[in-house]
């Protein structure tokens, strides 16, 4: 992983904690939440305050995420909103933390000027004993306060102030006045500068979790389903009718189409579909070259395509299917027969424009892992896990490619690939005018061949 760290492809965007004051505030919050402290003088934290260096020191990388549920967080600065979330166990956690920080930014800025803010993403589940427990997660509530309880004290002071204004004899209540003065010394003037964090809760309808080998749960769609990337989950053990596994490609394809969650890349507006498909073809060549033991270090895009021309017959079906699709898109060649049993099928799709597009693009990355660029952007946890098992030559090529062609313009690359102005990382995508409007023979999913086809996906 050293290569990825050096190129800024791993642990990038973390917040440095180096001043003694910030380290002490972090320790107060850490002790408040976990009873532990760090002896480190400097380290880096993500949006939740998790530090890989502190995790190494404590021998526990879930020290703020016990059992992988109810993630705790430590805020030292509102700038953490731009940082990634490491070791994510739920796809919704980073978005919740970022929205909480942005909604309460002014208050958090004032609070973190003097103390750390510690909190938790609370749901009703404290352990994941079985997949059925996922269905008990209905909402997440954000609870937060400083280590000194400033917010709680401010709420109490506000109540006392209201009582003082209401009661006729309050001016003669020395105990009440003394208590108000004592709290005000801690919180300041709450009448002029209210110290209050917006109470926020988030409904959890559709999400991914790393538990049970990776599970996607879609409840808030017309046709609900659970999709497992690990072992198949027995539908008799969970309160949902449809339980799919990664190998159920046709059923997953029908689920995505029935809920209008995806669109063919070549039909998408505002993208250069042929260029995207050609890049996917290059990644498939790289994967095949790794299997053949070909050294790709320093290889250019021209080298990869020359390698493909020389070894066309040895390349997998995904390559030839995408090549036929490119030929159709660019030259109006023959319509390629692409059904959901085709190994290239999920490489030809992207999420359509809806609230869960990031989640669907992550699912597509899971189903089409040879597209290492989409894998890195949409599913970093899986990218890092697969990267560890690649050959040195593939590691070198992929790291160089991502540094050269993704890091230089992350927002632009994401917009070009996924459109919809969808921020998937720490940068906002930049709105652009549609570049092209492609139409094509797209229709229903399935392997069945109707008498009259209107395109690769059926009639």
């Amino acid at each position: 992983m050293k290569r990825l760290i050096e190129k800024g492809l791993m642990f990038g965007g973390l917040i440095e904690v180096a001043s003694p004051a910030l380290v002490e505030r972090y320790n107060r919050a850490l002790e408040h939440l976990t009873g532990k402290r760090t002896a480190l003088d400097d380290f880096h934290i993500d949006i939740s305050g998790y530090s890989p260096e502190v995790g190494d020191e404590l021998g526990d990388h879930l020290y703020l995420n016990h059992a992988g549920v109810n993630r705790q967080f430590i805020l030292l600065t509102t700038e953490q909103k731009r940082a990634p979330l490491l070791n994510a166990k739920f796809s919704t956690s980073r978005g919740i933390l970022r929205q909480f920080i942005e909604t309460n930014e002014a208050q958090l800025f004032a609070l973190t000027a003097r103390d750390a803010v510690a909190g938790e993403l609370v749901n009703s589940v404290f352990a994941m004993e079985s997949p059925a427990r996922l269905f008990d997660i209905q909402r997440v509530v954000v609870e937060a306060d400083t280590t000194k309880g400033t917010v709680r004290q401010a709420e109490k002071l506000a109540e006392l102030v209201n009582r003082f204004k209401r009661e006729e004899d309050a001016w003669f209540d020395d105990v009440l006045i003394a208590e108000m003065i004592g709290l005000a010394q801690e919180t300041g003037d709450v009448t002029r500068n209210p110290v209050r964090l917006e109470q926020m809760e988030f409904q959890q309808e559709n999400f991914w979790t790393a538990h049970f080998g990776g599970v996607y749960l879609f409840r808030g769609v017309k046709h609900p389903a659970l999709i497992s990337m690990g072992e198949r989950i027995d539908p008799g053990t969970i309160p949902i009718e449809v339980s799919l596994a990664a190998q159920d490609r046709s059923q997953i394809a029908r689920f995505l189409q029935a809920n209008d969650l995806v669109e063919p890349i070549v039909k998408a507006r505002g993208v250069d579909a042929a260029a995207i498909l050609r890049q996917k073809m290059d990644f498939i060549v790289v994967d095949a070259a790794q299997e053949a033991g070909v050294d790709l270090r320093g290889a250019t895009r021209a080298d990869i395509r020359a390698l493909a021309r020389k070894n066309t017959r040895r390349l997998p079906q995904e390559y030839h299917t995408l090549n036929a699709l490119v030929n159709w898109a660019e030259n109006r060649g023959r319509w390629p027969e692409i059904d959901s049993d085709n190994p290239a099928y999920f490489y030809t799709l992207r999420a359509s424009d809806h609230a869960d597009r990031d989640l669907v693009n992550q699912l597509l990355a899971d189903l089409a892992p040879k597209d290492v660029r989409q894998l890195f952007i949409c599913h970093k946890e899986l990218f890092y896990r697969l990267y560890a098992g690649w050959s040195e030559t593939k590691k070198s090529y992929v790291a160089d490619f991502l540094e050269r062609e993704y890091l230089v313009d992350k927002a632009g690359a994401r917009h070009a690939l996924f459109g919809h102005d969808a921020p998937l990382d720490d940068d906002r995508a930049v709105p652009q005018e549609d570049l092209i409007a492609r139409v094509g023979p797209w229709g229903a999913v399935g392997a069945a061949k109707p008498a009259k086809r209107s395109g690769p996906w059926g009639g």
Side-chain angles (χ1 to χ4, degrees):
M1 299 295 183
K2 183 179 179 182
R3 181 187 287 110
L4 296 180
I5 296 172
E6 290 174 343
K7 292 180 179 293
L9 296 167
M10 190 175 188
F11 301 148
L14 297 182
I15 304 296
E16 184 178 17
V17 180
S19 74
L22 288 181
V23 172
E24 176 54 31
R25 289 177 195 170
Y26 186 87
N27 265 325
R28 286 203 305 270
L30 184 60
E31 189 169 21
H32 174 75
L33 292 174
T34 69
K36 303 173 182 177
R37 293 178 68 89
T38 176
L40 299 177
D41 294 326
D42 63 88
F43 46 89
H44 298 78
I45 58 175
D46 70 1
I47 188 173
S48 74
Y50 160 76
S51 166
E53 297 102 321
V54 174
D56 282 337
E57 178 196 23
L58 299 177
D60 179 12
H61 286 282
L62 293 178
Y63 69 92
L64 288 181
N65 196 17
H66 180 69
V69 293
N70 294 301
R71 185 148 193 157
Q72 297 172 304
F73 60 88
I74 298 172
L75 299 179
L76 298 179
T77 169
T78 55
E79 285 303 303
Q80 284 174 241
K81 69 180 182 180
R82 305 183 190 281
L85 178 66
L86 305 180
N87 295 335
K89 296 299 182 183
F90 287 89
S91 59
T92 54
S93 297
R94 184 179 184 271
I96 290 173
L97 282 168
R98 179 159 185 162
Q99 190 170 336
F100 171 73
I101 295 171
E102 290 179 336
T103 301
N104 295 282
E105 190 154 6
Q107 298 286 7
L108 289 171
F109 183 83
L111 291 171
T112 55
R114 296 186 297 172
D115 196 3
V117 171
E120 186 173 350
L121 306 184
V122 182
N123 62 61
S124 59
V125 176
F126 297 97
M128 280 291 161
E129 305 95 343
S130 69
R133 295 293 281 161
L134 291 172
F135 294 83
D136 293 332
I137 301 176
Q138 299 292 335
R139 64 191 182 103
V140 171
V141 178
V142 184
E143 295 183 354
D145 201 343
T146 67
T147 60
K148 297 178 181 178
T150 304
V151 176
R152 184 179 65 256
Q153 291 175 341
E155 290 174 351
K156 184 177 180 180
L157 177 55
E159 292 175 2
L160 294 179
V161 170
N162 288 334
R163 177 182 159 192
F164 181 82
K165 292 178 178 179
R166 258 191 341 263
E167 297 181 1
E168 293 182 4
D169 298 329
W171 279 103
F172 306 103
D173 190 338
D174 294 337
V175 175
L176 174 60
I177 293 173
E179 190 174 3
M180 290 170 59
I181 292 173
L183 289 173
Q185 289 174 341
E186 295 291 331
T187 66
D189 185 352
V190 296
T191 61
R192 294 186 179 181
N193 302 294
V195 181
R196 182 177 179 274
L197 295 176
E198 187 75 25
Q199 296 298 310
M200 303 182 71
E201 65 177 59
F202 301 82
Q203 297 301 312
Q204 301 295 283
E205 293 288 347
N206 307 325
F207 60 86
W208 165 87
T209 177
H211 294 282
F212 313 111
V215 173
Y216 294 84
L217 179 57
F218 290 89
R219 291 181 293 190
V221 294
K222 185 177 180 180
H223 305 284
L226 178 145
I227 303 173
S228 173
M229 294 296 112
E231 295 183 4
R232 183 184 302 277
I233 295 173
D234 182 358
T237 65
I238 55 177
I240 197 169
E241 184 177 348
V242 180
S243 177
L244 305 175
Q247 59 266 33
D248 300 326
R249 296 176 60 84
S250 293
Q251 294 95 318
I252 293 174
R254 291 190 183 96
F255 160 79
L256 293 171
Q257 291 283 7
N259 290 295
D260 295 321
L261 296 176
V262 294
E263 62 184 4
I265 292 172
V266 292
K267 186 181 178 182
R269 294 171 58 85
V271 302
D272 187 343
I276 293 173
L277 294 173
R278 286 188 183 280
Q279 186 63 74
K280 291 175 184 283
M281 291 165 59
D282 288 352
F283 293 139
I284 292 169
V285 174
V286 169
D287 188 75
Q290 174 190 232
E291 295 296 323
V294 177
D295 190 349
L296 295 174
R297 282 173 290 192
T300 64
R301 183 171 293 179
D303 295 331
I304 296 300
R305 293 184 179 169
L307 187 64
R309 286 193 296 272
K310 293 177 183 177
N311 298 275
T312 301
R313 294 184 180 179
R314 295 196 224 172
L315 293 173
Q317 184 180 354
E318 296 102 312
Y319 180 90
H320 298 291
T321 300
L322 294 182
N323 191 37
L325 193 55
V326 169
N327 184 47
W328 177 87
E330 289 187 332
N331 306 314
R332 293 298 183 262
R334 292 184 57 191
W335 294 344
E337 299 280 338
I338 305 175
D339 59 42
S340 50
D341 290 327
N342 191 306
Y345 179 79
F346 292 109
Y347 289 90
T348 68
L349 302 176
R350 74 173 193 177
S352 53
D353 191 7
H354 52 78
D356 293 304
R357 55 185 175 257
D358 292 358
L359 181 64
V360 171
N361 278 326
Q362 180 179 342
L363 173 60
L364 292 174
D366 234 323
L367 296 168
K370 292 180 183 178
D371 184 352
V372 293
R373 177 171 55 182
Q374 177 158 332
L375 192 65
F376 180 78
I377 296 171
C378 301
H379 200 345
K380 284 187 174 61
E381 299 294 320
L382 180 59
F383 175 88
Y384 294 137
R385 188 163 75 247
L386 294 180
Y387 178 92
W390 292 341
S391 67
E392 284 302 311
T393 180
K394 183 173 181 179
K395 288 179 180 177
S396 175
Y397 175 84
V398 171
D400 289 344
F401 171 85
L402 292 173
E403 179 187 36
R404 182 179 65 249
E405 299 200 29
Y406 173 64
L407 288 187
V408 293
D409 183 14
K410 293 191 288 185
R414 290 195 301 269
H415 182 83
L417 290 170
F418 308 113
H420 319 312
D421 196 22
L424 300 179
D425 205 329
D426 57 325
D427 299 318
R428 297 283 182 181
V430 179
Q432 298 180 22
E433 296 296 323
D434 286 341
L435 303 178
I436 59 173
R438 292 185 179 275
V439 295
W442 317 115
V445 178
K449 307 294 191 296
K452 182 179 180 181
R453 299 181 64 87
S454 61
W457 273 268

